[in-house]
């Protein structure tokens, strides 16, 4: 029977794996990419040359490069209102936009809005998926490298022989190995650092730009993103950081402008430098990112440099307000820069050239650039739908003069029709000059917009059929597993239909059903804590209604009140994070009360932890003596006498303990073992107590809590003598004491395992059996307490006391 049950269990697990495979297939849709790197041999025939009898294939660059050098300044989490908003501190950049010497856009990013997927999109023009968000966390991951994927940096390095340098976020180094000549990478995961992480980049700006041996330089700043994570977009640190970034834009632009003047004076064929200020993603109202909200996806493009001039309608006093709503896809950067620098567009790009950056070109050049961009995007359409045929020159020529109707066809056929219509309009303009260049542009953009929407939807959408199938399979496997677990406790076995009844309470079933419903709403996912707040109070309310005594009901009501205070302590989530809460009340005008609560909490939690530890690790026969009425003093005396008791007395104590069901079966443990056990217990409690005190001193010294409590400087100096003088040394001491406490806890657990399993009759009525594993878990929680006090913010430390009170109310024997 056991063998059959094991086979059924293995079959259930295999079915779950099949369901998981289906779900993953639907959640990470297959995106077919074109292998290899684009070359000039991939360029389409030049319609103008073909119309005049010239070569049918262009072997030269698309159009002569407009710029020689490129500076990319990427400010992580640069939201559009940080540059274009009324409260922005980037005054120099705003003035350049108002005067028409810069061109700006709100760049629309796609989810997931984290750094690695956004850098992929900015350099390849593709649509990354949520798998890239997972890889974004693994700093040592190399599977996400773009070494063998076509990208803008590869094109610049290999087709224009550019020297490329990078300073900042080391994600670039993982994505583009063997591309950069000089680098200085910084980790993006030390979010507490908002100063040095940017200074490490800024120290390279002037020295690197003033050197004459570079062509492309990338600066990736992380400080603004870190401020958002730490304190949100409204932090007092945000405007100074914006001003710092604005000063760097001004200084860098001045350096390259002077260099351009000198270079172009010496060499008339030299071309200027393009400066691009941009963000990879933005941040929401609490400073986080990763999702698809308007705030998280609204970042910026600002193009500056010689030759950059805004159209007349895109400058003036109200330009900034218009830029907040002038959105362009973020992936449009790739074809725009590729065309401006005269290199092939990466093969899998889905972006479109920004027309404002092509406005200074002549009609023929601009249309040729749009043809090349449309040709590349049509290649992606054909790669994802092999049934779509190429559009030949003869076919496009045959469409001249005849209206092309693209109605009533499949999506791929509609895209082919629109592409052919654009080529026909272009040829008609090139051959006879009929029509206008503007109309041809509209035809090209009509095709590219529709192709972008279709391909983006296909690449970033979900296969709902596969996802539902996977969920159904997993649900069926989970139900079978429940039946197996229920049947394992019955003598009839799993194959007896009489044992298939499920023991699930109505409240638990309601919780599971409502939770499954909630995961279909993105708002409820973002505010999932609200779901658990509601159900915690609901379960406590049901406990009140089902209580058998007035005391139990009163204790549960007190728990509900404490939990309501805990809920109001910090406003969390996305929607109500800025609302007033107890934390704000304590930090703003009642800091003295906050520190009183902090001190009281540290004392209360340590006393409770010590008392709880005494319950789980009673001294030899102490409980039995107390049961006989010896009192507290007798307990201490019994502890002292335990070292001198002989084997006969030890046996008598065990027999008495068995009769009263208070102490445990000390099977095979000698007096020496018990002595070591008691010593390690006391070491554990002492070390935890001193480490907690040191953590309290650290918090009060770092945040000047002793001044808020009115403690004199002389008295505080005496208190500080008990711990190291430096705050960093105090923190190290707390970590060391925690390690010692955990080591003592391990020793307690080992000796406790030799003694046996602890059963306390006072807890047994509440269903508690303190096994060795439970005692070890308790040691771990108590041992980690000092570190938790050290790392917590002062206003959150009183929450320890509130949670402790909720816990104690469940087991009044601890009171």
């Amino acid at each position: 029977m056991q063998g059959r049950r094991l086979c059924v269990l293995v079959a259930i697990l295999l079915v779950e794996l099949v369901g998981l495979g289906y779900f993953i297939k639907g959640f990470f849709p297959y995106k077919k990419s074109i292998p290899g790197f684009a070359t000039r041999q991939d360029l389409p025939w030049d319609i103008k040359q073909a119309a005049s009898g010239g070569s049918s294939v262009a072997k030269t660059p698309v159009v002569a490069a407009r710029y020689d050098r490129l500076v990319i300044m990427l400010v992580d989490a640069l939201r559009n209102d940080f540059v274009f908003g009324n409260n922005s501190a980037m005054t120099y950049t705003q003035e350049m936009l108002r005067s028409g010497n810069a061109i700006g856009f709100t760049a629309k990013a796609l989810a997931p809005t984290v750094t690695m997927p956004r850098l992929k999109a900015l350099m390849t023009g593709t649509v990354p998926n949520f798998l890239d968000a997972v890889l974004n966390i693994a700093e040592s991951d190399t599977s996400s490298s773009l070494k063998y994927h076509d990208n803008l940096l590869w094109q610049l390095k290999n087709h224009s022989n550019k020297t490329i340098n990078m300073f900042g976020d080391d994600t670039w180094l993982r994505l583009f190995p063997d591309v950069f000549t000089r680098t200085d990478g910084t980790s993006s995961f030390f979010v507490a650092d908002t100063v040095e992480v940017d200074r490490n980049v800024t120290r390279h700006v002037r020295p690197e730009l003033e050197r004459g041996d570079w062509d492309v330089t990338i600066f990736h700043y992380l400080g603004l993103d870190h401020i958002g994570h730490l304190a949100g977009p409204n932090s007092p640190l945000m405007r100074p950081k914006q001003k710092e970034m604005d000063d760097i834009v001004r200084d860098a632009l001045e350096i390259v402008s002077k260099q351009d003047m000198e270079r172009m004076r010496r060499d008339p064929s030299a071309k200027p430098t393009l400066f691009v200020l941009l963000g990879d993603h933005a941040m929401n109202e609490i400073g986080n990112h990763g999702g698809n909200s308007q705030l998280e996806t609204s970042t910026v493009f600002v193009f500056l440099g010689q030759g950059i001039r805004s159209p007349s309608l895109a400058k003036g006093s109200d330009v900034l307000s218009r830029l907040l709503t002038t959105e362009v896809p973020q992936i449009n950067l790739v074809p725009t820069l590729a065309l401006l620098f005269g290199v092939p567009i990466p093969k899998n790009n889905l972006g479109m050239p920004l027309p404002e950056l092509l406005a200074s070109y002549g009609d023929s050049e601009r249309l040729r650039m749009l043809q090349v961009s449309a040709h590349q995007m049509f290649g992606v359409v054909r790669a994802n739908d092999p049934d779509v045929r190429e559009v030949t020159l003869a076919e496009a020529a045959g469409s001249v003069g005849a209206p092309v109707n693209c109605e009533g066809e499949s999506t791929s056929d509609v895209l082919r029709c629109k592409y052919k219509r654009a080529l026909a309009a272009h040829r008609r303009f090139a051959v006879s000059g009929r029509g206008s260049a503007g109309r041809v542009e509209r035809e090209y953009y009509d095709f590219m917009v529709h192709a972008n929407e279709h391909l983006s939807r296909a690449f970033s959408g979900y296969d709902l059929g596969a996802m539902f199938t996977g969920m159904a399979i997993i649900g069926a496997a989970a139900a079978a597993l429940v039946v197996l677990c229920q049947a394992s406790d019955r003598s009839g076995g799993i194959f007896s239909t009489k044992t298939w009844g499920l023991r699930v309470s109505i409240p638990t079933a309601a919780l599971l059903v409502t939770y499954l419903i909630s995961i279909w709403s993105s708002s409820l996912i973002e505010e999932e804590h609200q779901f658990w707040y509601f159900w915690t109070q609901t379960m406590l309310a049901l406990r009140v209604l089902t209580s058998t005594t007035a005391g139990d009901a009163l204790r549960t009501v007190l728990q509900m009140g404490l939990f309501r205070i805990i809920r109001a302590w910090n406003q969390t989530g996305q929607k109500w994070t800025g609302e007033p809460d107890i934390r704000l009340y304590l930090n703003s005008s009642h800091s003295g009360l906050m520190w009183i609560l902090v001190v009281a909490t540290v004392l209360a939690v340590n006393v409770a932890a010590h008392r709880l530890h005494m319950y789980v690790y009673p001294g030899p026969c102490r409980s039995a003596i107390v049961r006989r009425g010896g009192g507290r003093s007798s307990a201490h005396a019994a502890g002292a006498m335990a070292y001198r008791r002989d084997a006969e007395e030890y046996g008598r104590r065990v027999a008495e303990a068995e009769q009263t069901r208070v102490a445990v079966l000390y099977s095979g443990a000698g007096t020496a073992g018990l002595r070591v056990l008691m010593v390690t217990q006391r070491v554990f409690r002492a070390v935890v107590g001193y480490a907690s005190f040191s953590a309290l001193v650290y918090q009060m010294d770092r945040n000047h809590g002793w001044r808020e409590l009115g403690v004199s400087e002389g008295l505080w100096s005496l208190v500080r003598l008990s711990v190291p003088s430096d705050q960093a040394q105090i923190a190290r001491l707390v970590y060391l004491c925690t390690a010692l406490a955990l080591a003592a806890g391990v020793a307690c657990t080992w000796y406790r395992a030799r003694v046996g399993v602890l059963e306390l009759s006072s807890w047994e009525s509440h269903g508690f059996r303190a096994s060795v594993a439970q005692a070890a878990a308790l040691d771990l929680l108590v041992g980690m307490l000092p570190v938790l006090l050290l790392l917590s913010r002062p206003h959150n430390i009183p929450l320890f006391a509130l949670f402790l009170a909720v816990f104690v109310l469940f087991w009044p024997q601890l009171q």
Side-chain angles (χ1 to χ4, degrees):
M1 182 62 69
Q2 292 296 329
R4 295 173 64 186
R5 185 174 291 122
L6 180 61
C7 291
V8 173
L9 178 60
V10 171
I12 290 174
L13 295 178
L14 291 176
V15 171
E16 285 192 349
L17 290 176
V18 172
L20 180 62
Y22 269 99
F23 184 85
I24 291 175
K25 178 179 180 294
F27 192 75
F28 300 115
Y30 175 68
K31 177 174 62 177
K32 186 173 182 179
S33 60
I34 306 174
F37 296 86
T39 66
R40 293 192 173 99
Q41 300 300 322
D42 299 322
L43 295 175
W45 28 262
D46 190 331
I47 288 183
K48 183 178 180 181
Q49 292 182 16
S52 60
S55 174
S56 61
V57 178
K59 302 293 184 182
T60 57
V62 181
V63 173
R66 180 62 58 92
Y67 296 95
D68 276 347
R69 304 192 304 175
L70 173 66
V71 176
I72 295 177
M73 179 177 170
L74 194 154
V75 181
D76 214 285
L78 185 63
R79 204 166 71 188
N80 59 348
D81 60 318
F82 293 167
V83 180
F84 307 143
N86 293 330
N87 295 324
S88 170
M90 302 187 70
T91 54
Y92 174 80
T93 304
Q94 289 190 341
E95 181 56 35
M96 296 292 285
L97 290 166
R98 290 193 188 96
S99 63
N101 293 317
I103 299 176
F105 305 93
T106 289
K108 197 67 174 177
L110 295 177
T113 47
V114 292
T115 297
M116 179 178 287
R118 292 297 91 219
L119 293 185
K120 282 187 174 183
L122 285 167
M123 293 295 108
T124 64
T126 59
V127 183
N129 55 36
F130 279 92
L131 183 61
D132 295 291
V134 178
L135 297 176
N136 183 73
I137 301 173
E139 289 197 84
S140 60
D141 174 71
T142 58
S143 62
S144 58
S145 168
L146 295 178
K147 183 175 182 179
Y148 303 106
H149 296 263
D150 202 357
N151 61 83
L152 181 63
L153 294 184
W154 190 95
Q155 294 293 341
L156 291 171
K157 183 179 181 67
N158 290 275
H159 281 110
S160 291
N161 197 29
K162 302 292 187 186
T163 299
I164 307 176
N165 304 321
M166 196 290 300
F167 307 95
D169 189 349
D170 59 6
T171 305
W172 291 87
L173 304 181
R174 287 181 280 140
L175 282 176
F176 306 101
D178 306 325
V179 168
F180 304 110
T181 302
R182 291 189 299 273
T183 64
D184 187 5
T186 57
S187 175
S188 60
F189 288 94
F190 295 103
V191 294
D193 179 12
T194 64
V195 178
E196 294 301 325
V197 70
D198 284 347
R199 286 181 179 172
N200 192 58
V201 180
T202 303
R203 67 189 179 94
H204 293 290
V205 172
R206 183 170 293 276
E208 287 295 330
L209 293 182
E210 288 181 345
R211 298 177 63 161
D213 59 347
W214 63 273
D215 299 297
V216 179
T217 301
I218 300 169
F219 301 109
H220 188 145
Y221 285 90
L222 294 164
L224 188 138
D225 175 66
H226 290 183
I227 291 173
H229 285 299
L230 287 173
N234 299 318
S235 166
L237 300 175
M238 188 59 74
R239 281 181 56 83
K241 180 59 68 174
Q242 294 171 7
K243 182 66 167 58
E244 178 186 342
M245 297 296 101
D246 194 53
D247 291 342
I248 295 169
V249 172
R250 183 191 62 237
D251 295 343
L253 196 59
E254 289 179 355
I255 293 172
V256 297
S257 296
K258 292 179 180 178
Q259 287 181 334
D260 287 346
M261 293 177 62
E262 181 63 23
R263 289 171 50 247
M264 297 169 73
R265 184 184 63 80
R266 293 197 310 264
D267 181 6
S269 64
K271 299 178 178 63
T273 302
L274 178 64
F275 187 99
V276 184
L277 170 68
L278 71 157
D280 53 349
H281 52 75
M283 65 176 70
N284 58 22
E285 59 269 21
I286 62 173
N288 293 330
H289 54 86
N292 197 35
S293 68
Q294 179 73 19
L295 292 176
E296 292 169 278
T297 58
S298 299
T299 183
V300 302
F301 285 155
V302 179
F303 297 88
L304 305 103
Q306 186 175 336
I308 296 293
R309 293 292 181 270
S310 294
S312 58
L313 295 178
K315 57 184 178 181
S317 58
D318 61 341
V319 61
L320 299 178
S321 60
R322 290 200 301 269
L323 291 178
L324 286 170
T325 58
T326 305
E327 295 183 350
V328 299
Q330 194 182 43
I331 55 177
N332 286 6
L333 179 72
V334 175
T336 302
L337 293 183
L339 294 173
L340 292 177
F341 283 84
V343 298
I345 301 172
K347 281 191 172 184
N348 295 287
N349 162 71
L350 301 182
M352 301 166 285
L354 294 169
E356 292 82 355
L357 274 297
L358 307 184
S360 60
Y361 288 91
D363 289 345
S364 297
E365 291 179 320
R366 191 166 61 254
L367 294 182
R368 170 62 176 162
M369 297 167 85
L370 293 178
Q371 181 205 358
V372 170
S373 182
H375 173 79
Q376 175 272 319
M377 193 176 293
F378 187 64
V380 182
V381 173
R382 294 188 63 213
N384 285 271
D385 189 350
D387 295 332
V388 178
R389 296 177 291 106
E390 177 65 278
V391 179
T392 64
L393 177 61
E395 188 176 1
S399 301
V400 175
V404 180
N405 185 10
C406 298
E407 301 295 332
E409 301 182 23
S410 66
T411 303
S412 297
D413 289 335
V414 168
L415 293 176
R416 183 180 187 277
C417 177
K418 290 180 178 292
Y419 178 57
K420 183 172 66 172
R421 188 168 63 186
L423 293 178
H426 190 178
R427 180 173 175 79
R428 183 166 55 250
F429 177 79
V431 170
S432 61
R434 289 184 296 167
S436 65
R439 179 183 175 184
V440 180
E441 286 185 53
R442 288 192 295 271
E443 294 289 356
Y444 274 126
Y445 276 107
D446 181 53
F447 159 72
M448 288 189 287
V449 166
H450 283 83
N452 172 274
E453 292 175 352
H454 169 67
L455 294 170
S456 297
R457 187 165 53 248
F459 292 167
S460 61
Y462 303 115
D463 185 347
L464 295 180
M467 291 177 65
F468 279 119
T469 301
M471 292 172 64
I473 294 174
I474 292 173
L481 188 61
V482 170
V483 172
L484 178 64
C485 292
Q486 294 285 329
S488 63
D489 295 332
R490 309 287 186 90
S491 59
I494 187 172
F495 298 104
S496 174
T497 57
K498 295 181 179 179
T499 66
W500 286 19
L502 300 181
R503 300 186 297 274
V504 180
S505 65
I506 293 178
T508 303
L511 186 152
L512 292 174
V513 171
T514 53
Y515 182 74
L516 290 175
I517 295 174
S518 72
I519 63 176
W520 293 98
S521 168
S522 60
S523 297
L524 289 177
I525 292 175
E526 292 173 352
E527 305 292 333
E528 183 180 351
H529 52 284
Q530 303 289 350
F531 174 89
W532 295 110
Y533 289 160
F534 170 80
W535 271 105
T536 300
Q537 293 288 50
T538 300
M539 290 298 189
L540 290 175
L542 291 174
R543 192 171 184 225
V544 173
L545 297 176
T546 57
S547 296
T548 57
T549 65
D552 287 343
L554 179 60
R555 282 191 293 271
T556 306
V557 170
L558 290 176
Q559 286 176 320
M560 294 178 68
L562 290 172
F563 192 79
R564 186 64 186 86
I565 295 173
I566 292 171
R567 177 180 176 179
W569 202 274
N570 286 301
Q571 292 287 0
T572 55
Q574 303 283 341
K575 298 182 183 300
W576 297 282
T577 184
E579 297 297 320
D581 50 26
I582 296 176
R583 166 186 57 86
L584 179 64
Y585 172 84
L586 292 176
N587 281 322
S588 58
S589 56
H590 296 81
S591 55
L593 174 61
M594 178 184 72
W595 286 105
I596 291 174
L597 294 175
V598 168
V599 175
T601 295
V602 174
L603 292 174
V605 170
N606 273 273
V607 169
H610 183 275
R611 185 173 176 81
L612 184 61
H613 201 252
M614 295 283 284
Y615 262 93
V616 177
Y617 291 109
C621 209
R622 169 170 48 80
S623 300
I625 296 176
V626 174
R627 281 282 181 141
R628 292 206 308 264
R632 183 181 299 270
S633 60
S634 298
H636 289 295
M641 289 188 296
Y643 297 110
R644 300 187 298 270
R645 296 293 175 90
D646 55 12
E648 182 179 353
E649 180 64 16
Y650 171 73
R652 185 188 65 79
R653 290 202 312 265
V654 172
E656 185 179 63
E658 289 178 345
Q659 295 175 1
T660 58
R661 295 180 58 82
V662 176
V664 298
L665 300 173
Y666 295 107
S667 56
T671 305
L674 292 175
R675 184 179 302 172
V676 174
L677 177 60
M678 292 186 66
V679 171
T680 53
Q681 292 169 19
R682 293 173 180 173
V683 169
F684 179 86
R685 296 164 191 160
V687 171
V688 169
Y690 179 68
S692 299
F693 171 76
S694 301
L696 175 62
V697 173
Y698 174 87
Q699 291 280 9
M700 297 188 69
D701 192 62
R702 183 172 182 236
N703 300 284
H704 306 291
W706 58 276
R707 291 179 179 171
E708 298 292 340
L709 292 176
V711 178
S712 65
E713 190 169 350
L715 180 58
W716 181 247
S717 299
L718 292 177
V719 174
R720 289 289 273 106
L721 292 176
S722 59
V723 296
S725 57
D726 184 64
Q727 290 182 3
Q729 293 178 355
I730 298 177
R732 295 190 189 100
L733 175 65
V734 172
Y735 289 125
L736 177 62
C737 289
T738 299
L740 291 175
L742 293 178
V746 170
C748 287
T749 301
W750 185 75
Y751 280 107
R752 187 69 196 85
R754 295 185 59 190
V755 169
V757 178
L758 180 64
E759 296 182 10
L760 297 179
S761 61
S762 58
W763 290 37
E764 198 171 273
S765 61
H766 290 266
F768 187 90
R769 291 170 58 88
S771 67
V772 174
Q774 291 166 330
L778 180 64
D779 282 346
L780 177 63
L781 292 175
V782 174
M784 291 296 295
L785 178 64
V787 172
L788 297 176
L789 294 173
L790 179 76
L791 299 179
S792 296
R793 295 183 180 180
H795 58 256
N796 285 330
I797 291 179
L799 287 173
F800 287 88
L802 294 175
F803 281 113
L804 174 66
V806 172
F807 175 76
V808 169
L809 286 171
F810 274 111
W811 287 286
Q813 288 77 12
L814 294 177
Q815 300 172 30

